[in-house]
Amino acid sequence: MAEQQVMIEYQIVARGVHDPRVLEALRTVPRHQFVPPEYVDDAYDDRPLEIGFGQTISQPYIVAYMTELLAPLPQHRVLEIGTGSGYQAAVLAELVAQVYSVEIIPELGTAAQERLKRLGYENVQVRIADGWLGWPERAPFDRILVTAAVSQIPPPLLEQLRPGGRLVMPLGRPFGSQYLVLAEKSPAGNITTRTALPVRFVSCTRAQ
Ligand code: SAH
C-alpha cells in the first residue's frame, strides 16, 4: 500500500529511525486492519487513533521508535504490556521468535488475539490480566515493552527480565510529563536506566 510507504518515509525515517528490520516490519504489518472501521482511511496518519474503552493505538512513529530502542533479535522472547489493538504485538512478531502480550481490558485483549490469529500471527499469545505483574509463568524475557504509562518501573517486570535484557516503557504521572525510559539489566543483574523521548501515553490501570 502506497500510504504505508509514505508513512515510513515521512513520519519514521525522516525522524531518525533507520533500523532496516524495524522499517521492514512496519512495511509488512497492515495497520489498517488494527483500527476500528471508521478510522481505516486514517490508519497511516501521523497520530494515535481511538480503539474504544478510552484507549488508543499509538502513533506509528512512536511504535517504530520504541521498537528500535528495544533492539529485538530474531531469537528473542518478548513480553508486551498493553496489547490494545495488537498492532505493536504484530510488529514485534515480525521481528522475534515469540511475543507474550498482556491486556487488562478483556474485550480489547480478546479482539486483538482473534485479529492476530486471523492475520496469521502464530507466535503471539495474549493474556487478559494486570500486566503490572508481568507473566511469571513465561519468564524470563529477553525484552519487555510497556505501552501504558506507569509512575515507576514495576518490580515484577525487572525480575522477569533476563540478565543482559532490555525494558522500554513510558514513565511519568498520568496527566503530567512522561518520558520513554530504557532500562538495561547487566549480566550480573544490575539495572541502569536512561531517558529517551518525551511521550504521552494512556496510563496503566490496575486490576481492583
Ligand atoms: N500497544 C497497543 C496500544 C497500547 S494502549 C497497540 O499497539 O494498539 C495501552 C493499553 O494498555 C490499553 O489497551 C490498556 O487497556 C492497556 N493497559 C492499561 N493498564 C494495563 C495493565 N495494568 N495491564 C495490562 N494492560 C494494561
Side-chain angles (χ1 to χ4, degrees):
M1 185 189 244
E3 263 182 287
Q4 206 158 340
Q5 190 53 35
V6 170
M7 169 189 91
I8 288 163
E9 289 306 322
Y10 291 93
Q11 300 175 32
I12 295 172
V13 176
R15 292 191 182 113
V17 174
H18 294 298
D19 183 326
R21 293 185 68 239
V22 173
L23 297 178
E24 185 56 31
L26 271 284
R27 234 188 304 277
T28 307
V29 179
R31 184 171 162 95
H32 57 280
Q33 303 264 17
F34 290 83
V35 302
E38 62 269 31
Y39 289 128
V40 166
D41 290 344
D42 309 318
Y44 298 94
D45 286 3
D46 193 10
R47 61 188 174 106
L49 296 168
E50 289 165 22
I51 56 171
F53 305 92
Q55 307 303 323
T56 55
I57 174 173
S58 306
Q59 179 190 5
Y61 166 62
I62 294 296
V63 173
Y65 182 87
M66 288 181 93
T67 308
E68 185 174 64
L69 197 59
L70 197 67
L73 295 175
Q75 69 275 20
H76 281 165
R77 301 168 71 252
V78 178
L79 174 68
E80 180 198 24
I81 305 303
T83 316
S85 67
Y87 177 68
Q88 172 76 71
V91 169
L92 291 170
E94 295 283 345
L95 294 164
V96 303
Q98 185 68 43
V99 179
Y100 301 94
S101 187
V102 182
E103 171 57 52
I104 202 164
I105 299 178
E107 291 87 343
L108 288 177
T110 306
Q113 176 81 85
E114 283 167 8
R115 179 178 297 125
L116 289 161
K117 202 161 184 244
R118 177 161 43 81
L119 294 171
Y121 290 99
E122 303 284 345
N123 59 339
V124 184
Q125 276 182 43
V126 177
R127 180 193 205 187
I128 313 292
D130 181 358
W132 174 273
L133 302 168
W135 192 334
E137 298 83 358
R138 298 284 185 271
F141 303 100
D142 301 289
R143 299 287 187 260
I144 299 178
L145 181 61
V146 182
T147 63
V150 285
S151 56
Q152 62 164 118
I153 306 180
L157 299 186
L158 287 176
E159 274 161 37
Q160 292 169 34
L161 187 63
R162 196 189 288 281
R166 281 181 164 221
L167 180 156
V168 173
M169 61 166 52
L171 220 51
R173 288 169 292 120
F175 299 102
S177 50
Q178 298 173 0
Y179 287 88
L180 272 187
V181 167
L182 166 66
E184 291 180 274
K185 195 184 227 181
S186 74
N190 300 314
I191 305 291
T192 52
T193 58
R194 82 177 158 85
T195 299
L197 217 60
V199 286
R200 186 157 289 262
F201 272 82
V202 293
S203 286
C204 184
T205 51
R206 302 292 315 277
Q208 299 302 311

